[in-house]
Amino acid sequence: MALLDTAPAAGVSRGMRLTAKAAALTVLPSCVWRLVIAVGIPVGWGAETDLHHSNFPGWFSFHLLGLSAFQECLGLLTLGLVQRWGEAVPHWVPRIGGGRIPPLVAVVPATLGALAVTWITVDGALSWHDIMAANPGGPTDGFGYWYFTLSYAPLLLWGPLLAIVTTGYWRRRRIHG
């Protein structure tokens, strides 16, 4: 028995399913970047920084692992906006299993999340160079800089893609109930 019904919800287009999957995947590169740091692989951070490879693995590794797991879970919640488990509580949940999820229970947090992620990532992108330059020991060129930058760049798409999928969910639930 699967924990979640991964079948698409009624009325979800192939394009919307792909958009939801793309939104969920945008968090993966930054999570992988953190996991690389957590196991102690050098990625260009200087010895004077907390992210220097000599500090890992260590207790802070658990923080990076937890943050990556939390971020990945948030990204995967996007899939609930296009699958049946985003419209009805799974049957295995005690007392409320099988019950209909009111659309606003998903739409409000998804909308707030899309706005917050968009604001945070755009603000970060606009100040990226200043942030990197002000961080002694941070990678400012070479492999470490580009790996860091390319790992976080996909997050710029997370908010807008989540907003598109949320809008589709809201419209579909208004039409199909």
Side-chain angles (χ1 to χ4, degrees), residues 60-132:
F60 194 61
S61 295
F62 292 110
H63 170 74
L64 295 176
L65 295 172
L67 181 58
S68 292
F70 179 68
Q71 182 180 352
E72 196 59 45
C73 287
L74 290 177
L76 290 172
L77 280 174
T78 307
L79 300 177
L81 298 172
V82 297
Q83 295 176 347
R84 284 188 233 170
W85 60 267
E87 296 182 2
V89 179
H91 289 284
W92 55 265
V93 176
R95 296 172 36 164
I96 60 170
R100 182 180 171 275
I101 296 173
L104 289 177
V105 168
V107 170
V108 170
T111 301
L112 293 174
L115 291 171
V117 167
T118 300
W119 180 77
I120 290 167
T121 57
V122 169
D123 182 57
L126 293 175
S127 58
W128 190 253
H129 180 71
D130 295 336
I131 291 169
M132 295 303 285

Side-chain angles (χ1 to χ4, degrees), residues 27-28 30-41 51 56-74 152:
V27 303
L28 191 58
S30 59
C31 290
V32 169
W33 179 85
R34 277 190 229 98
L35 296 177
V36 166
I37 294 276
V39 298
I41 297 173
L51 294 176
F56 297 95
W59 287 107
F60 194 61
S61 295
F62 292 110
H63 170 74
L64 295 176
L65 295 172
L67 181 58
S68 292
F70 179 68
Q71 182 180 352
E72 196 59 45
C73 287
L74 290 177
Y152 277 84

